[in-house]
Amino acid sequence: DAGVIQSPRHEVTEMGQEVTLRCKPISGHNSLFWYRQTMMRGLELLIYFNNNVPIDDSGMPEDRFSAKMPNASFSTLKIQPSEPRDSAVYFCASSSRTGGDEKLFFGSGTQLSVL
Amino acid sequence: DAKTTQPPSMDCAEGRAANLPCNHSTISGNEYVYWYRQIHSQGPQYIIHGLKNNETNEMASLIITEDRKSSTLILPHATLRDTAVYYCIVRSGNTDKLIFGTGTRLQVFP
């Protein structure tokens, strides 16, 4: 299995531009998570999906952030417009919800720099 | 979810056992203890988890006290590649959310 695949690995953009981060979960997994990591705030859970349905988006910082999961094999996290304070590493993770003690598998992350 | 308390940093000599403590005094009966680690610039990696009993796998052992208020992750023979931030997380079986704290930065030295 290729694991969780994220793209791009690095993204550099200018303030005000739209940014789209992509994630392909592990085949057969039915839960998907988006995290953000910064030095100041550590690892923060932004949103997660079960069976392609958003369950909890309470961690999404503001309306500039949106996430979609159109099917079981693909998810996007979009920032529009981007701001310098959005600079961080964004991780996607997936798991197979089988009874409460499942483990998360993380991708390699997308390093986002907003200038 | 119950909060956890971990020391911010620890050192360990290569080849020796690394024992990483975690306090979770407010843990509930249906909450699991998870350990993940994050090697620099990589995504977090699952290590082990448990509910009540001690657990062992190819990576580590997890010792949970009888009252479940604390646990210890044991890396039996630490290597330089085990240098990472180790996160102890308590999570209810009723939720999918995994909330990371600040973890313990383990430095393994030669």
Side-chain angles (χ1 to χ4, degrees):
Chain A
D1 197 321
V4 176
I5 299 173
Q6 292 187 246
S7 63
R9 286 284 280 129
H10 303 276
E11 176 80 36
V12 180
T13 190
E14 293 187 346
M15 182 174 63
Q17 296 298 306
E18 177 180 296
V19 175
T20 299
L21 311 181
R22 297 173 176 79
C23 176
K24 176 179 170 56
I26 292 173
S27 177
H29 282 189
N30 56 3
S31 295
L32 184 139
F33 306 78
W34 283 101
Y35 285 84
R36 177 174 69 175
Q37 186 171 35
T38 62
M39 288 292 293
M40 291 294 295
R41 302 176 67 89
L43 266 166
E44 302 174 276
L45 177 63
L46 301 178
I47 185 172
Y48 76 92
F49 297 81
N50 274 344
N51 296 318
N52 313 337
V53 176
I55 302 301
D56 187 338
D57 65 354
S58 59
M60 295 287 262
E62 48 196 276
D63 291 345
R64 297 185 297 106
F65 285 68
S66 62
K68 293 182 179 180
M69 192 164 185
N71 57 63
S73 60
F74 184 66
S75 176
T76 59
L77 179 67
K78 185 176 295 186
I79 309 172
Q80 166 64 19
S82 58
E83 296 182 2
R85 58 190 169 127
D86 302 330
S87 297
V89 181
Y90 291 80
F91 289 103
C92 175
S94 70
S95 71
S96 176
R97 196 169 200 278
T98 55
D101 64 342
E102 66 272 15
K103 47 195 175 189
L104 268 61
F105 294 84
F106 283 78
S108 299
T110 294
Q111 174 79 58
L112 174 65
S113 298
V114 183
L115 306 178
Chain B
D1 289 340
K3 291 187 176 180
T4 62
T5 304
Q6 299 179 253
S9 64
M10 293 182 65
D11 291 338
C12 179
E14 189 177 20
R16 303 296 295 270
N19 299 293
L20 291 89
C22 180
N23 286 324
H24 31 79
S25 58
T26 59
I27 193 170
S28 300
N30 68 340
E31 290 181 316
Y32 292 80
V33 180
Y34 284 79
W35 284 84
Y36 282 75
R37 74 178 182 184
Q38 187 174 24
I39 297 171
H40 180 62
S41 78
Q42 298 181 18
Q45 176 190 25
Y46 166 85
I47 301 174
I48 199 168
H49 75 280
L51 183 61
K52 296 180 181 178
N53 300 322
N54 299 336
E55 302 287 345
T56 295
N57 63 21
E58 66 279 4
M59 290 182 69
S61 295
L62 173 60
I63 308 298
I64 303 174
T65 58
E66 191 168 344
D67 63 7
R68 304 210 320 124
K69 293 183 183 299
S70 66
S71 61
T72 301
L73 178 74
I74 301 173
L75 308 178
H77 306 287
T79 71
L80 298 179
R81 290 175 296 179
D82 292 322
T83 293
V85 177
Y86 288 77
Y87 297 96
C88 170
I89 304 164
V90 170
R91 185 173 72 92
S92 168
N94 298 326
T95 178
D96 296 305
K97 295 173 68 168
L98 203 65
I99 307 300
F100 287 79
T102 54
T104 296
R105 184 172 298 275
L106 175 69
Q107 178 69 52
V108 181
F109 57 91

